[in-house]
Amino acid sequence: MTQDIVIILVMAVPMLLFSVYPGLKLGDYVENKYNVGESAKRRIVILTTILFTLTLSSLLYYL
């Protein structure tokens, strides 16, 4: 179990390259649509990037 988590986290590092763009696009969309502040936009971008990265790396590991 622990070994699986470590492998997923190691594979998450290269997945950051593919995850930054969707996070930035979602942050821009939310900023324009809902008129959120800059700090909320940063939180959305970071959270989206981390979630998308972990999702991609876990899908790559388990498929």
Side-chain angles (χ1 to χ4, degrees):
M1 180 70 177
T2 307
Q3 187 178 10
D4 293 340
I5 294 171
V6 170
I7 291 173
I8 288 172
L9 291 176
V10 167
M11 288 180 2
V13 174
M15 291 300 130
L16 278 171
L17 295 172
F18 302 108
S19 303
V20 172
Y21 184 73
L24 289 173
K25 282 300 185 184
L26 184 66
D28 288 340
Y29 173 75
V30 169
E31 183 182 33
N32 291 335
K33 176 99 174 163
Y34 299 108
N35 200 16
V36 297
E38 187 66 30
S39 63
K41 179 186 172 187
R42 285 185 196 142
R43 280 187 234 132
I44 291 169
V45 168
I46 291 170
L47 186 65
T48 304
T49 302
I50 290 171
L51 288 176
F52 196 68
T53 299
L54 291 176
T55 303
L56 278 178
S57 60
S58 60
L59 282 174
L60 183 64
Y61 180 70
Y62 288 115
L63 292 182

